[in-house]
Amino acid sequence: MSLLKSITKSDGFRKILCWIGAQYIRFVYVTGRWQIVNGEAAQQYWDADKPFILAFWHGRILLMPYCWNRKKAIHMLISQHRDGQLIARTVGHFGIQTIEGSTSKGGATALRSMLKSLKNGECIGITPDGPRGPRMRASNGVVNVAKMAQVPVIPCAFGSVTRKHVRSWDRFCVAFPFSKGVFVWGNPIHVPKEAKGAELEAYRLKVEEELTRVTDESDRLTGHSPVEAA
């Protein structure tokens, strides 16, 4: 038992695990048939080389590398927790860079890194309910970054006809190979620089509602009932 624990905690084992995870994501995508809904929401910013914040719920991380234009740089905010490091290594196989931290731990350093990336014209990706939930409830972090950087938040979600939800806090969605699927983009949300108090809270709710809407739509289009928020 102690040998098994030492193996699973080893850096080499984690590297192999993340490589396998990346290959599975690639296999699911290349064997599937994917539809993009409202893709022009993000395309207009890519075409103009303008940065924005990609937002998606933690439970829909799996295929998000494939919603992205690989020619455009993006930095994902990833927690410093062990699970976060596994995600960081996995998405690293797709050329996605990461910023360590969250709205609670390592927040100030992460905030500076995100603002620097956006100022340099690069996009960032945030899971507003990560790293520990509550599920599908947006924290203040995403609207605060959008306000300070003066860039829009654009929500996105994926859905798959054949899939399974893990019994985790985020109801993690595992898509299966050889399936039909969809990526649904939401509308850009601009947070005014002067927004504060009740107005800033209204924009937080707007991000939460739009992100839930596109997630529910991805489920509807793939024949599933919506996942309920915590």
Side-chain angles (χ1 to χ4, degrees):
M1 195 68 168
S2 59
L3 176 62
L4 180 61
K5 284 184 178 180
S6 63
I7 291 173
T8 56
K9 288 182 179 180
S10 72
D11 190 60
F13 177 81
R14 291 176 187 172
K15 285 182 179 179
I16 294 171
L17 189 65
C18 293
W19 181 85
I20 292 172
Q23 302 319 305
Y24 179 78
I25 293 169
R26 288 193 175 103
F27 187 60
V28 169
Y29 183 77
V30 300
T31 61
R33 288 171 288 170
W34 301 93
Q35 175 189 2
I36 300 174
V37 177
N38 196 35
E40 60 274 13
Q43 192 63 51
Q44 62 180 325
Y45 286 90
W46 289 330
D47 290 344
D49 285 325
K50 292 183 178 180
F52 64 89
I53 299 170
L54 167 67
F56 50 95
W57 292 134
H58 199 276
R60 303 295 168 117
I61 285 178
L62 187 72
L63 285 174
M64 296 318 288
Y66 281 105
C67 82
W68 195 252
N69 182 338
R70 302 286 286 276
K71 295 179 180 179
K72 303 297 180 181
I74 184 171
H75 301 257
M76 272 189 62
L77 179 65
I78 298 291
S79 75
Q80 296 169 324
H81 188 267
R82 184 176 64 182
D83 292 346
Q85 297 310 302
L86 290 175
I87 293 172
R89 282 183 171 179
T90 302
V91 300
H93 287 283
F94 298 93
I96 296 174
Q97 301 178 64
T98 56
I99 295 172
E100 288 190 5
S102 67
T103 54
S104 55
K105 187 177 181 180
T109 301
L111 177 60
R112 287 193 294 269
S113 296
M114 286 188 287
L115 293 175
K116 181 179 179 180
S117 295
L118 292 166
K119 186 177 180 180
N120 290 337
E122 299 173 334
C123 298
I124 62 169
I126 296 178
T127 55
D129 59 344
R132 293 301 183 92
R135 180 179 65 252
M136 298 172 67
R137 299 296 183 188
S139 67
N140 294 323
V142 64
V143 289
N144 282 328
V145 175
K147 171 188 171 180
M148 287 185 275
Q150 282 300 282
V151 299
V153 178
I154 307 183
C156 189
F158 84 86
S160 178
V161 173
T162 55
R163 73 190 199 195
K164 181 179 178 60
H165 285 285
V166 178
R167 290 185 179 179
S168 53
W169 70 266
D170 59 354
R171 295 292 309 281
F172 193 84
C173 183
V174 180
F176 295 158
F178 306 102
S179 179
K180 290 181 180 179
V182 64
F183 292 96
V184 181
W185 286 89
N187 298 310
I189 298 170
H190 299 265
V191 182
K193 196 168 186 177
E194 65 277 5
K196 58 182 179 181
E199 184 181 10
L200 191 60
E201 169 63 10
Y203 279 98
R204 185 198 67 78
L205 284 172
K206 189 173 182 179
V207 169
E208 182 174 289
E209 290 167 358
E210 181 67 358
L211 188 42
T212 297
R213 182 189 70 79
V214 298
T215 305
D216 290 351
E217 180 67 1
S218 74
D219 289 338
R220 185 189 70 80
L221 291 171
T222 51
H224 295 279
S225 300
V227 173
E228 292 185 4

